Amino acid sequence: MKTLKTHPRCAPCLLSRVQFEAELSTKDTELQKKAILAGIEVLREYLVDGLPAEKLSTKIHREAYRVLGDIDPYIEKKKQSNEAAKKLLPLAREFVSEKDSMRRAILVAIIGNSFDFGVLGYDAEKEIVKETMLQQFKSGLDVDDSDRIKALLGNVVYLADNCGEIIFDTLLFEEIRKLGGKITLVVRGAPILNDVTMKEVLELGLDKMVDRVLTTGSNAIGVCLKEAPPELVEALGSASLVISKGMANYETMSEYDFRPIAYLLKTKCESVAEAMGLRKNMNVARLEE
């Protein structure tokens, strides 16, 4: 499995995210345009061969936030995502409790990674959404290292991803703790995209569901060790298992040598799928030792 470098297809994807966050931030079309033009300038300078993808992502979003004068354009979307996920949590909990609970909790956490809860909003209660989720349950894991993961749960560092999906992660927290594992939850040090920060941890009471909460130390996409606090670096180095949720954490953690590491994600992106030697839209629970 290779690390993820920038690809020409990253450009339109990143610019579409800049446009989206600009529209979330302001109705001023001139300011939206400035944010997009700033993104284009970042691409012009940094879309180069060999640059890790997350470094480009971090640069482009930081620049957009600077131009917009907004440190958290996704603040309302994050709240909506968590509320939508809470409506679907009973269905997910019922699925996990039926049998083979660890494997099913891992699958649910990955399914959480595939849903855009911010788009779902109040529609999360609709039957069609529930049917979609049931179909996802049936599809199962395309890469399934869950038995090997289960054997390593003594001292887990859990790298969280987005709001919304973090609600589904709580079912996996429960399974880890049932098996006697301790959990250090790691969230972003400051707002970036719809990622979980300490603010959401406290609002949702996630700190009561784990043994310790640390942050990445900054709003860098994924984990940037240069900006990380020493206690996070120490925790990663001493973990019995690092669980890396989502594509952004994969993009960064695949650059480092922390092992064993379990990547739990949906391959929503062609570039991530290629780097992992997989196809797009696969449910992946892959252990690297």
Side-chain angles (χ1 to χ4, degrees), residues 57-115:
S57 302
T58 297
K59 286 179 185 298
I60 201 167
H61 291 299
R62 282 178 172 172
E63 183 62 6
Y65 284 24
R66 185 192 68 76
V67 170
L68 292 167
D70 190 343
I71 62 166
D72 195 1
Y74 291 79
I75 189 165
E76 290 304 319
K77 279 287 176 198
K78 290 193 284 188
K79 290 176 186 171
Q80 290 169 17
S81 295
N82 289 329
E83 289 308 309
K86 284 178 189 175
K87 292 173 185 174
L88 292 166
L89 186 62
L91 186 65
R93 184 179 292 283
E94 183 182 346
F95 171 73
V96 169
S97 67
E98 285 175 4
K99 60 180 181 180
D100 203 8
S101 56
M102 174 56 74
R103 181 174 280 105
R104 286 182 171 221
I106 287 172
L107 174 59
V108 162
I110 292 165
I111 289 169
N113 182 243
S114 72
F115 268 71

Side-chain angles (χ1 to χ4, degrees), residues 13-259:
C13 180
L14 286 168
L15 283 179
S16 71
R17 290 302 294 262
V18 169
Q19 179 188 351
F20 181 67
E21 60 206 20
E23 289 172 354
L24 287 177
S25 177
T26 179
K27 289 184 167 55
D28 182 340
T29 54
E30 284 305 308
L31 189 52
Q32 291 174 8
K33 196 184 299 179
K34 283 180 184 174
I36 292 165
L37 287 170
I40 289 169
E41 285 306 310
V42 171
L43 288 173
R44 194 192 307 278
E45 186 171 354
Y46 292 103
L47 188 62
V48 295
D49 288 342
L51 184 74
E54 83 286 345
K55 287 194 168 67
L56 176 61
S57 302
T58 297
K59 286 179 185 298
I60 201 167
H61 291 299
R62 282 178 172 172
E63 183 62 6
Y65 284 24
R66 185 192 68 76
V67 170
L68 292 167
D70 190 343
I71 62 166
D72 195 1
Y74 291 79
I75 189 165
E76 290 304 319
K77 279 287 176 198
K78 290 193 284 188
K79 290 176 186 171
Q80 290 169 17
S81 295
N82 289 329
E83 289 308 309
K86 284 178 189 175
K87 292 173 185 174
L88 292 166
L89 186 62
L91 186 65
R93 184 179 292 283
E94 183 182 346
F95 171 73
V96 169
S97 67
E98 285 175 4
K99 60 180 181 180
D100 203 8
S101 56
M102 174 56 74
R103 181 174 280 105
R104 286 182 171 221
I106 287 172
L107 174 59
V108 162
I110 292 165
I111 289 169
N113 182 243
S114 72
F115 268 71
D116 190 339
F117 294 102
V119 171
L120 280 181
Y122 297 110
D123 289 344
E125 290 177 321
K126 290 186 176 176
E127 282 305 311
I128 191 165
V129 176
K130 293 178 180 175
E131 284 301 315
T132 302
M133 180 159 283
L134 289 169
Q135 281 300 119
Q136 291 255 35
F137 292 159
K138 285 179 188 172
S139 67
L141 292 167
D142 298 294
V143 176
D144 183 1
D145 288 339
S146 54
D147 286 337
R148 291 168 61 209
I149 290 168
K150 189 175 178 179
L152 296 167
L153 298 177
N155 176 28
V156 176
V157 172
Y158 198 105
L159 304 177
D161 191 25
N162 298 335
C163 288
E165 74 175 88
I166 191 68
I167 302 295
F168 280 19
D169 290 340
T170 61
L171 298 180
L172 184 48
F173 297 167
E174 289 172 13
E175 292 302 314
I176 292 169
R177 296 186 88 180
K178 273 185 205 170
L179 292 167
K182 294 193 178 301
I183 304 169
T184 296
L185 177 64
V186 181
V187 298
R188 301 292 175 252
I192 192 73
L193 303 176
N194 59 341
D195 289 1
V196 182
T197 68
M198 193 64 82
K199 179 175 181 287
E200 289 79 38
V201 166
L202 298 175
E203 286 173 355
L204 296 168
L206 298 175
D207 53 316
K208 298 176 180 65
M209 301 180 197
V210 298
D211 298 277
R212 178 170 63 154
V213 184
L214 299 178
T215 82
T216 59
S218 75
N219 71 340
I221 299 289
V223 178
C224 175
L225 285 189
K226 287 180 181 175
E227 299 176 5
E231 59 266 29
L232 174 56
V233 180
E234 190 278 327
L236 289 166
S238 61
S240 67
L241 177 69
V242 177
I243 293 179
S244 169
K245 272 302 297 295
M247 294 195 302
N249 284 325
Y250 164 73
E251 289 174 21
T252 49
M253 295 307 292
S254 61
E255 295 279 331
Y256 306 132
D257 296 322
F258 297 108
R259 296 291 184 273

